[in-house]
């Protein structure tokens, strides 16, 4: 499977199957089971980033996220893994396999990837922040070779030497994503791409913007809860003011996501880093406003009595902290300074 091949599923049947599957989601506690349902029904066969249908891909991610954010975390990781394997021209994944992308690099947890003859390798060490570790069958794992170079390896998790722990995750928000520590004790794996290829490929930034589409889907769930709670006529003016402000924030974030998808598709061999980071920051900014205003408009009732809304309000702040806040803003500001021309011309 190569980057140019993509996935053959036509979009309307995919969205129909996706709608039927996510329509059954009721509890975040079963995110692993629902990931299996989506994969088994072929709902993971999304258009690849930069394939000309990036927005369709992001709409699918947002749709899952609107149903459940922990499920979206696993679904986004799985579909991102398929895109990475395609972009780096790795072997096609086994049928019905479910993948995680475990590439966080905490300074106190560095995994060794020791190359072996013929493209094989061995994984050694503790990997942190392994989302869905108890639910997936395979993972793409980042680590470091003996030369100190960053590498990526594909590993099957049903092997001796793989230990999924219950350590490292105590959050209430995103609890069903269960991003725990996994121990690799000299586990066979396969190298994916050359050293450094994972972070230097264009899709690294494309995938990062795709995560923002998941955040946006969570915001849709929150915004729709407020909209559904208001009568068409005679609504409280303060609630209406909150709804109006939320609509503007959502429309602005949606516009940036759509523009970014178009830029990626127009320049498929480029990272489009500035645009992708801008999209993440735009959705993060919208989230701060939407969550605050929805809570103020609705009061304690839905937070206490609407399980889905309460879970989304708990999940989204944790999920968005995958962003690096002011560090990302500062990096983006530096990129804006370097960009030639008039960046804000209409």
């Amino acid at each position: 499977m190569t980057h140019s091949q993509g996935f053959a599923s036509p979009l309307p049947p995919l969205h129909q199957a996706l709608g039927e599957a996510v329509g059954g989601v009721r509890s975040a506690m079963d995110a692993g089971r629902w990931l299996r349902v989506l994969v088994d029904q072929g709902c993971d066969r999304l258009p690849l980033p930069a394939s000309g249908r990036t927005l369709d891909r992001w709409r699918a991610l947002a749709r899952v996220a609107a149903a459940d954010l922990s499920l979206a975390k696993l679904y986004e990781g799985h579909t991102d893994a398929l895109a990475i394997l395609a972009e780096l021209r790795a072997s096609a994944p086994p049928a019905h396999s479910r993948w995680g992308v475990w590439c966080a690099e905490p300074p106190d947890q560095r995994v060794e990837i020791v190359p072996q003859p013929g493209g094989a390798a061995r994984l050694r060490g503790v990997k942190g922040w392994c989302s869905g570790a108890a639910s997936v069958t395979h993972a793409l794992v980042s680590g470091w070779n003996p030369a100190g170079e960053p590498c990526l390896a594909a590993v099957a998790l049903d092997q001796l030497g793989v230990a999924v722990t219950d350590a490292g995750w105590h959050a209430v928000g995103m609890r069903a994503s269960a991003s725990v520590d996994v121990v690799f004790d000299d586990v066979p794996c396969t190298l994916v791409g050359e050293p450094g290829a994972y972070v230097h490929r264009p899709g690294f930034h494309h995938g990062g913007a795709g995560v923002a589409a998941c955040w946006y889907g969570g915001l849709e769930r929150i915004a729709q809860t407020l909209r559904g709670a208001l009568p068409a006529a005679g609504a409280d003016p303060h609630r209406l003011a909150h709804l109006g402000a939320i609509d503007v924030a959502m429309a602005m974030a949606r516009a940036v996501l759509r523009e970014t998808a178009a830029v990626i598709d127009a320049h498929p061999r480029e990272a489009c880093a500035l645009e992708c980071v801008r999209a993440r920051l735009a959705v993060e900014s919208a989230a701060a406003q939407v969550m605050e205003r929805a809570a103020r408009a609705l009061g304690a009732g839905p937070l206490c009595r609407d399980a889905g809304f309460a879970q989304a309000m708990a999940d989204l702040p944790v999920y968005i902290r995958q962003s690096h806040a002011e560090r990302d803003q500062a990096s983006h500001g530096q990129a804006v300074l370097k960009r030639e021309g008039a960046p804000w011309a209409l």
Side-chain angles (χ1 to χ4, degrees), residues 327-340:
R327 281 194 293 166
D328 284 353
Q329 289 177 326
S331 176
H332 183 61
Q334 189 63 51
V336 171
L337 281 179
K338 293 180 179 178
R339 175 67 65 92
E340 296 180 358

Side-chain angles (χ1 to χ4, degrees), residues 90-176:
S91 299
H96 301 290
S97 56
R98 302 180 302 280
W99 289 72
V101 178
W102 300 341
C103 293
E105 290 291 339
D108 57 339
Q109 292 177 319
R110 286 181 58 137
V111 170
E112 292 181 273
I113 298 179
V114 183
Q116 306 290 309
R122 295 272 176 170
L123 277 177
R124 299 169 185 166
V126 179
K127 192 66 178 177
W129 306 101
C130 298
S131 296
S135 305
V136 298
T137 61
H138 296 71
L140 293 178
V141 181
S142 66
W144 304 82
N145 66 16
E149 299 170 310
C151 296
L152 188 69
V155 58
L157 301 176
D158 60 347
Q159 303 183 75
L160 292 175
V162 179
V164 177
T165 76
D166 59 1
W169 191 252
H170 304 286
V172 174
M174 299 296 291
R175 64 184 179 217

Side-chain angles (χ1 to χ4, degrees), residues 200-226:
H200 293 131
R201 65 195 171 86
F204 180 80
H205 287 284
H206 303 165
V211 172
C214 294
W215 302 342
Y216 184 85
L219 291 177
E220 280 191 274
R221 171 69 172 269
I222 294 167
Q224 287 287 9
T225 299
L226 173 57

Side-chain angles (χ1 to χ4, degrees), residues 252-278:
M252 292 170 67
R254 181 182 61 192
V256 174
L257 285 170
R258 288 178 174 178
E259 180 180 8
T260 303
V263 170
I264 289 171
D265 286 337
H267 304 89
R269 298 184 183 277
E270 298 179 16
C272 305
L274 186 144
E275 290 81 7
C276 289
V277 174
R278 181 192 290 138

Side-chain angles (χ1 to χ4, degrees), residues 63-87:
R63 189 164 190 177
V64 174
D68 184 85
L69 283 164
S70 286
L71 172 59
K73 174 69 172 172
L74 305 190
Y75 179 73
E76 185 279 326
H78 169 76
T79 55
D80 188 40
L82 300 187
I84 293 166
L85 291 170
E87 187 172 7

Side-chain angles (χ1 to χ4, degrees), residues 142-323:
S142 66
W144 304 82
N145 66 16
E149 299 170 310
C151 296
L152 188 69
V155 58
L157 301 176
D158 60 347
Q159 303 183 75
L160 292 175
V162 179
V164 177
T165 76
D166 59 1
W169 191 252
H170 304 286
V172 174
M174 299 296 291
R175 64 184 179 217
S177 70
S179 299
V180 296
D181 295 349
V182 175
V183 180
F184 294 101
D185 184 8
D186 202 38
V187 177
C189 59
T190 303
L191 292 172
V192 177
E194 297 296 322
Y198 165 70
V199 294
H200 293 131
R201 65 195 171 86
F204 180 80
H205 287 284
H206 303 165
V211 172
C214 294
W215 302 342
Y216 184 85
L219 291 177
E220 280 191 274
R221 171 69 172 269
I222 294 167
Q224 287 287 9
T225 299
L226 173 57
R227 185 171 181 264
L230 302 185
D236 177 271
H238 297 290
R239 283 183 159 190
L240 285 174
H242 286 303
L243 180 62
I246 284 174
D247 172 72
V248 172
M250 293 292 291
M252 292 170 67
R254 181 182 61 192
V256 174
L257 285 170
R258 288 178 174 178
E259 180 180 8
T260 303
V263 170
I264 289 171
D265 286 337
H267 304 89
R269 298 184 183 277
E270 298 179 16
C272 305
L274 186 144
E275 290 81 7
C276 289
V277 174
R278 181 192 290 138
R280 287 171 62 93
L281 292 171
V283 178
E284 182 178 359
S285 177
Q289 184 167 182
V290 171
M291 286 188 289
E292 179 182 7
R293 285 185 174 273
R296 291 174 69 89
L298 289 168
L303 287 169
C304 299
R305 297 180 178 178
D306 183 335
F309 176 76
Q311 192 66 58
M313 291 289 280
D315 287 343
L316 194 54
V318 178
Y319 199 169
I320 284 181
R321 288 281 53 83
Q322 191 170 333
S323 162

